Amino acid sequence: MCTNGDGVAGGVAEALRNISTALDHLNGPAGVAALEAAGQGDVLAALAQVTAKLTAARAAALSRFDAGRGHDADGYGSSASWLAATNRVTRKAAAADVRRMHQLRWHPRIAQALAAGEISESWAAEMAEWTRKLPAELREGVDKLLVDTAAAGANLEDLAFVARTAYERWRQQSGADNDPDDGFDDRYLKLGTTIDNAGRVNGNLTPECTTALQAVLDALGKKAGPEDHRTEPQRFHDALQLACELLIRAQMVPDRAGADTRVDVVIALSQLRDMPGAPAMENAWLAAMAGQHAHLAGAGAQAAACDAITTPVVTGSPDLAVVDQMIAIVLAYAGAAGHAVMRYDTNEGDAGEFEVPSAGALSPQARQALRYAIARLAIDLVSGPTGLAAFLRQGLLGEPFNSKPVILDIGYSDQIPGVIRRAVQLRARHCEWPGCRSALAHCDIHHLRHKSDGGPTSVANCAALCQFHHDICIHRWNWRLTLHPDGTTTAYGPEGQVIHSHGPPGSTGPPGNQAA
């Protein structure tokens, strides 16, 4: 046989030159780039056949090279290492070439169909994997059946059914139900990272692992609402990230390891006000707020949980009907005085003035704004270390429920303290995005007004948001969220979208904390 100077047979060398010349033409200015879009479909179909044939030729050459240990002459211990060094490919790509070579070597009928351009490279890999466990004398016949079925126009799902039927029939006839070769030894998972720390995952999962992963993706990868326009692969990516973050937050699911149980004792403010002695204490507190001196001692109470880390938490829901009564009082005063100007400042940094006209002259928008402003002031009055809630709790309850209150508004902080985090979770009970019911275990605590914009680290300026609504909607898609004094929320989209967790207010949105 005549060869050229590089040891390549003359006919092969000429064929390779012709292939290279043809590809140079296709890649040149007069090649595929010069065609109209309508003509590119035929080009793509033809190139798919060419790719299949090139894959078969490369696998055949590598098979001969590997069998003859051609890599030894260049000082390499394996075909994969030789490919990585001399073909300037990654070690991962070189290993994939070797795996494909072995696969086609064990499935000659599939290799022939690939060389003829009858099936694609990816279909060939799928078909070979389906029949891998069959004995050699049966494998070739099933491979031929799959190739012939594909040539008749069957799709990949039809081929999978044919392969599964043949496999199950063989298992029943051969008694291979207890075959130890269940693919367990072939399991693997590889995570590769790029120079910018992006990643790529590939692997071969057992049926049990596949089922578990699919259950996780199905549970955490659902659409989160009408604002969720992620594709399914994007949702599955985010679901995998969320699953890993949940495991990390749970400290890889440890046991208690001797740690004390934590008990949050939730006490409604209304319950405190109904306790014996509470009215007198309220009067004393109001007198103290007015500058008068008073002192009352409360009755003791038994601790509800022995040997537990107990944290008393007083809760309450704003009654906006009471706020409406306050507005009526303000309007009555304004009617008597001719007009009134009310100025308000809240702990969250909101400030403003309202000129209150005579009764009945408030527009719906003005009434709504006034309602929220007074509600914020009322909340500030009863909350905090010197507020009514703390005063009643410390005066009426015994240990451990009368301990000093924790600070729930600390100004600037690099991190959100645990006490604020727990208080937000007690308020939220689930993701606070309108319409989202994701469990708190899926949620981050987010500053509504960002710290860089002067937002304080406080319960009023923090919200519990699931990974999708926090990381994607707010920080990537530029949505913003408003938390109202009554605990409802409104989300505003970058294109004018508005989603309420309640009936629409009388205006486009009350003054409040907004996400940045």
Side-chain angles (χ1 to χ4, degrees):
M1 179 183 294
C2 178
T3 63
N4 62 11
D6 296 326
V8 178
V12 174
E14 183 178 359
L16 290 173
R17 284 194 298 271
N18 290 337
I19 292 173
S20 181
T21 300
L23 292 175
D24 286 342
H25 176 75
L26 291 176
N27 290 323
V32 294
L35 294 177
E36 296 294 333
Q40 301 291 0
D42 293 337
V43 172
L44 292 172
L47 286 176
Q49 281 193 322
V50 172
T51 300
K53 294 179 179 182
L54 285 174
T55 298
R58 181 172 175 80
L62 183 57
S63 180
R64 291 291 301 270
F65 180 82
D66 183 75
R69 300 191 64 84
H71 48 77
D72 289 347
D74 292 327
Y76 294 96
S78 68
S79 296
S81 60
W82 182 89
L83 285 171
T86 62
N87 283 215
R88 305 186 72 178
V89 298
T90 64
R91 300 187 71 85
K92 184 186 299 185
D97 276 346
V98 172
R99 284 197 302 272
R100 185 184 303 108
M101 175 266 294
H102 285 302
Q103 192 178 53
L104 294 178
R105 180 190 290 173
W106 296 331
H107 298 267
R109 186 64 188 85
I110 293 176
Q112 292 172 13
L114 186 66
E118 297 172 357
I119 56 176
S120 67
E121 178 183 352
S122 58
W123 276 34
E126 287 284 331
M127 293 159 64
E129 181 62 26
W130 292 336
T131 62
R132 176 180 60 84
K133 296 181 182 179
L134 295 175
E137 63 274 12
L138 180 61
R139 184 191 311 139
E140 186 170 356
V142 177
D143 284 348
K144 183 178 185 304
L145 175 62
L146 290 175
V147 169
D148 292 344
T149 305
N155 59 34
L156 197 61
E157 289 74 18
D158 295 333
L159 298 179
F161 177 78
V162 171
R164 186 67 188 177
T165 300
Y167 178 72
E168 292 299 333
R169 182 176 301 170
W170 166 73
R171 278 167 51 99
Q172 294 172 5
Q173 293 176 351
S174 63
D177 290 336
N178 298 319
D179 184 7
D181 183 19
D182 57 358
F184 186 74
D185 291 339
D186 295 329
R187 72 195 187 284
Y188 77 93
L189 185 79
K190 289 185 177 180
L191 173 62
T193 56
T194 64
I195 194 170
D196 57 354
N197 289 326
R200 180 177 294 276
V201 176
N202 62 62
N204 187 20
L205 308 183
T206 62
E208 296 83 1
C209 182
T210 301
T211 301
L213 179 58
Q214 189 64 56
V216 169
L217 298 180
D218 289 342
L220 303 181
K222 299 175 181 177
K223 279 189 172 293
E227 70 281 2
D228 188 356
H229 53 75
R230 295 173 296 172
T231 64
E232 183 179 75
Q234 289 173 336
R235 296 200 310 272
F236 281 1
H237 168 278
D238 297 343
L240 180 60
Q241 177 184 339
L242 176 58
C244 293
E245 289 178 351
L246 291 175
L247 186 60
I248 293 170
R249 291 176 191 171
Q251 298 180 359
M252 305 306 174
V253 197
D255 57 18
R256 284 181 54 194
D260 290 334
T261 303
R262 179 178 186 86
V263 176
D264 287 333
V265 180
V266 180
I267 310 159
L269 180 57
S270 59
Q271 290 177 300
L272 285 176
R273 298 186 67 198
D274 288 338
M275 290 183 67
M281 288 194 66
E282 283 192 35
N283 291 334
W285 177 77
L286 289 171
M289 294 292 291
Q292 303 175 21
H293 297 287
H295 175 75
L296 284 176
Q302 284 283 359
C306 182
D307 295 330
I309 301 173
T310 304
T311 301
V313 180
V314 179
T315 63
S317 300
D319 187 347
L320 295 185
V322 175
V323 176
D324 290 333
Q325 296 175 21
M326 296 179 184
I327 294 176
I329 294 172
V330 172
L331 292 177
Y333 165 75
H339 74 282
V341 176
M342 185 185 84
R343 177 170 180 79
Y344 71 92
D345 296 277
T346 70
N347 291 337
E348 288 74 49
D350 296 320
E353 290 184 348
F354 291 97
E355 182 172 349
V356 184
S358 59
L362 279 177
S363 69
Q365 291 82 1
R367 175 176 287 273
Q368 184 77 354
L370 182 60
R371 200 181 196 214
Y372 278 125
I374 293 178
R376 280 203 175 88
L377 292 172
I379 292 170
D380 289 343
L381 182 65
V382 300
S383 303
T386 60
L388 175 62
F391 185 76
L392 290 176
R393 179 177 58 79
Q394 294 182 64
L396 294 173
L397 303 180
E399 294 182 355
F401 310 118
N402 61 357
S403 57
K404 291 183 178 181
V406 296
I407 304 299
L408 298 180
D409 185 349
I410 61 173
Y412 179 82
S413 175
D414 288 334
Q415 296 181 337
I416 299 176
V419 291
I420 292 181
R421 187 178 299 274
R422 289 193 293 274
V424 171
Q425 291 172 337
L426 282 169
R427 178 194 70 206
R429 304 304 174 95
H430 52 73
C431 175
E432 294 186 273
W433 189 273
C436 184
R437 308 291 293 185
S438 294
L440 285 174
H442 301 182
C443 295
D444 300 323
I445 305 301
H446 168 69
H447 281 82
L448 291 167
R449 181 183 294 124
H450 202 274
K451 292 182 295 184
S452 61
D453 296 327
T457 300
S458 66
V459 175
N461 190 47
C462 289
L465 293 174
C466 67
Q467 180 201 44
F468 167 68
H469 288 118
H470 181 204
D471 294 345
I472 297 178
C473 282
I474 286 181
H475 286 296
R476 290 187 179 274
W477 293 351
N478 297 319
W479 283 70
R480 56 188 177 88
L481 185 69
T482 295
L483 174 64
H484 306 309
D486 58 358
T488 59
T489 56
T490 302
Y492 300 93
E495 299 178 0
Q497 309 99 311
V498 179
I499 305 176
H500 299 290
S501 66
H502 54 287
S507 62
T508 56
N513 299 322
Q514 295 176 345

